[in-house]
Amino acid sequence: MSGAVCPGSFDPVTSGHLYVFERAASRFDELVITVTINPNKQGMFTVDERLELLRKVTAHLPNVRIDSWQGLLVDYVRDQGFDTIVKGLRGSTDFEYELPMAQMNRDLTGVETIFMLTDPRLAHVSSSLVKEVAKLGGPVGDFLPSVVHEQLLAKLSSGR
Ligand code: PNS
């Protein structure tokens, strides 16, 4: 049985992430999407909110599990009984950022990273850019699953 971990901040999950989840879920028997907790980085969404949104947007993918983790990612991957990480790749900037982490993770434990290309129509979409545009009043509905879009707008309008 094959399995992989798809890690990230997912603050919040975007349509670009979802596209990668769907493609990865069709290639592995089990896919665990893991919110990695960074105690030094306060997100806009709490970890529980991110997990809940991930559960909602992947509800149609029966072989996907949602989890969170704080610590060294490769320890988590091995604890799950897997040896593969899946990451989305939007372009060369992502590649530069991901390459040393992928090499380090492989050196540490032999865990391999597989990169999946994102939808080219969403190659400019990131959680941080979407949040910035939304905070400034720009329309971001095309880049987010509707449940995420609604919660982002609610958060901004309540000032939370
Ligand atoms: O969504 P992001 O912020 O691009 O995800 C980056 C992430 C969470 C995958 C990376 O920061 C990570 O692996 N964090 C877990 C801690 C860890 O194992 N760090 C060493 C990486 S070589």
Side-chain angles (χ1 to χ4, degrees):
M1 182 157 146
S2 66
V5 171
C6 187
S9 308
F10 306 122
D11 182 39
V13 56
T14 68
S15 299
H17 291 132
L18 185 55
Y19 178 83
V20 171
F21 299 156
E22 286 170 347
R23 305 230 348 268
S26 74
R27 297 279 163 174
F28 293 93
D29 296 322
E30 191 181 3
L31 182 71
V32 185
I33 299 168
T34 305
V35 174
T36 49
I37 301 168
N38 181 345
N40 302 315
K41 208 165 122 190
Q42 166 108 43
M44 175 187 264
F45 291 79
T46 67
V47 171
D48 284 344
E49 287 170 337
R50 295 180 218 177
L51 293 170
E52 190 55 30
L53 288 173
L54 283 164
R55 276 188 202 104
K56 285 181 179 163
V57 304
T58 60
H60 61 298
L61 301 171
N63 58 334
V64 164
R65 187 154 50 87
I66 308 298
D67 198 10
S68 61
W69 167 256
Q70 182 174 336
L72 192 63
L73 181 62
V74 284
D75 287 343
Y76 173 83
V77 176
R78 303 281 286 233
D79 283 354
Q80 296 294 310
F82 299 154
D83 57 12
T84 308
I85 293 169
V86 173
K87 297 290 312 257
L89 210 55
R90 287 167 297 195
S92 55
T93 311
D94 276 354
F95 183 70
E96 298 289 334
Y97 170 68
E98 297 289 348
L99 188 64
M101 288 196 285
Q103 281 179 333
M104 177 61 81
N105 287 334
R106 194 179 55 182
D107 259 14
L108 290 173
T109 52
V111 166
E112 290 282 3
T113 301
I114 291 180
F115 294 108
M116 298 194 92
L117 299 181
T118 55
D119 184 339
R121 288 166 301 181
L122 298 171
H124 55 301
V125 175
S126 65
S127 303
S128 51
L129 204 50
V130 165
K131 284 183 288 189
E132 184 178 334
V133 171
K135 276 182 195 165
L136 298 171
V140 292
D142 286 351
F143 314 128
L144 297 171
S146 54
V147 64
V148 180
H149 186 220
E150 281 158 25
Q151 197 165 331
L152 176 60
L153 294 184
K155 214 173 239 302
L156 290 175
S157 66
S158 70
R160 280 187 294 135

